Amino acid sequence: MTEWLRRLRGALLILVFLSVFLYIFSLNFRPPEKMDVLQRFVVETLVPPIKSVGRIASFFEDLVKEYVWLRNLRSENALLRRQLAATEQKLTDYQEAYIENLRLRRLLDFKSSIHVDTVAARVALHDLTGWFQTVMVDKGFRDRITSDMPVVNDEGVVGRILDVSDRYSRILLITDPGSSVDAVIQRNRVRGVLSGKDANSCILKYVRGNVDVQVGDLIITSGKDGVYPKGLRLGVVQGIFKDPVDLFQKIEVKPLVRLNALEEVLIMKREANAPDDVMGN
């Protein structure tokens, strides 16, 4: 019984509300005249709450519209960020292609200036352990590469082929302590042996202490070690250390090749009848 009365009361409230709403709505269709007491009471009592409800509804409508607008804005921003990232990547690719083209052009010009057959190779891997100064390149037995072939680029001597597989070869860089190159100071033709010191420098050994050596002197290959042709650029003198009790002076040499930035090299395939002086000196 109580449940039935509750439902009846709810239905009556809804009916009253609808009746009042329809009554107010019907006033729009009556000719203009002064409202009676009931009309004024209804209008003055119910219009403010109805206006408040309308403002609340407008507020939520605006809120929903702003939420939708913000979602669209976020989507547009995300799209613009993706487009900007793609554009920046394209610019990076173009710059990388341009720089690579410059490197290859210099390498091609150098290749045309020497008098032996060469094979161009790309550096595939630098030694990751740091124990050895070596790099791997993408040419091997299939390209008729053998051990002890000299490796150069347009800047100077890189090193020599250490060992070879079918498709790859390992290069011993001139900065490795196990490397040795018969060298000569270009200015005064004094000979020595260039060996590796660390990743960034070499040592010119067996130069007597009374010999004139100057910072900035160019060191080139002598062609007398049976590996490197004569006249290839090795490095420049960057430090001289003399010990009165030592027969030889210690000469520190900076390689001309930026060995930590190698990307392409030329492997020199010296033939039996190839000239010793590949640079035409």
Side-chain angles (χ1 to χ4, degrees):
M1 187 67 176
T2 305
E3 181 66 24
W4 182 82
L5 289 175
R6 187 181 296 113
R7 292 183 180 179
L8 180 60
R9 184 175 58 185
L12 289 174
L13 288 174
I14 294 173
L15 183 60
V16 170
F17 179 79
L18 287 176
S19 300
V20 172
F21 176 79
L22 292 173
Y23 176 74
I24 295 173
F25 183 72
S26 67
L27 296 178
N28 295 318
F29 300 97
R30 293 185 179 181
E33 62 181 12
K34 189 175 180 179
M35 293 183 183
D36 58 31
V37 176
L38 179 60
Q39 291 173 340
R40 289 201 302 272
F41 173 78
V42 171
V43 171
E44 297 294 335
T45 303
L46 295 181
V47 167
I50 293 174
K51 288 177 63 177
S52 298
V53 171
R55 285 196 295 268
I56 293 172
S58 297
F59 169 77
F60 281 107
E61 183 181 1
D62 293 340
L63 192 63
V64 170
K65 288 181 178 178
E66 187 167 351
Y67 171 75
V68 172
W69 178 77
L70 287 174
R71 284 198 60 182
N72 292 336
L73 184 62
R74 281 195 293 267
S75 299
E76 290 177 3
N77 285 340
L79 177 61
L80 290 174
R81 283 195 297 269
R82 290 194 296 269
Q83 291 175 344
L84 179 60
T87 301
E88 290 177 343
Q89 183 59 51
K90 285 182 180 179
L91 179 60
T92 301
D93 293 343
Y94 292 151
Q95 290 174 335
E96 186 67 15
Y98 174 73
I99 294 172
E100 181 181 20
N101 183 59
L102 291 179
R103 286 198 315 269
L104 294 176
R105 185 177 301 174
R106 290 196 302 267
L107 202 64
L108 183 61
D109 291 342
F110 176 74
K111 180 177 180 178
S112 64
S113 70
I114 57 180
H115 309 303
V116 295
D117 187 22
T118 60
V119 175
R122 290 183 180 273
V123 173
L125 182 68
H126 286 259
D127 178 66
L128 301 178
T129 65
W131 297 340
F132 306 101
Q133 295 297 311
T134 60
V135 297
M136 299 287 293
V137 294
D138 62 351
K139 293 293 186 291
F141 280 129
R142 295 181 179 181
D143 307 283
R144 296 187 297 133
I145 304 300
T146 59
S147 298
D148 284 337
M149 284 184 171
V151 183
V152 298
N153 69 6
D154 59 295
E155 296 174 325
V157 175
V158 172
R160 62 181 174 86
I161 298 295
L162 187 62
D163 42 39
V164 186
S165 68
D166 284 343
R167 294 182 297 165
Y168 295 95
S169 299
R170 188 158 60 113
I171 300 172
L172 183 71
L173 303 178
I174 60 172
T175 51
D176 189 275
S179 170
S180 60
V181 183
D182 199 294
V184 62
I185 301 173
Q186 188 182 50
R187 179 175 59 86
N188 55 15
R189 318 310 295 176
V190 173
R191 285 179 61 194
V193 174
L194 188 76
S195 297
K197 177 188 176 186
D198 53 41
N200 300 307
S201 61
C202 301
I203 296 293
L204 185 64
K205 300 178 179 179
Y206 312 123
V207 177
R208 289 184 175 272
N210 61 353
V211 172
D212 175 35
V213 182
Q214 300 177 12
V215 172
D217 277 344
L218 178 64
I219 311 299
I220 61 175
T221 55
S222 69
K224 300 183 184 298
D225 54 14
V227 176
Y228 297 94
K230 179 182 177 181
L232 297 175
R233 291 150 49 94
L234 289 164
V236 294
V237 175
Q238 67 174 2
I240 304 165
F241 308 94
K242 295 185 179 182
D243 188 339
V245 299
D246 197 342
L247 180 62
F248 302 109
Q249 54 187 307
K250 181 180 178 182
I251 302 171
E252 189 169 326
V253 177
K254 180 177 179 60
L256 290 174
V257 178
R258 294 169 299 159
L259 297 172
N260 59 350
L262 278 178
E263 296 194 51
E264 299 90 16
V265 297
L266 290 176
I267 302 172
M268 304 178 71
K269 298 170 64 174
R270 298 195 67 192
E271 307 295 343
N273 58 352
D276 289 334
D277 187 358
V278 298
M279 302 302 294
N281 295 327

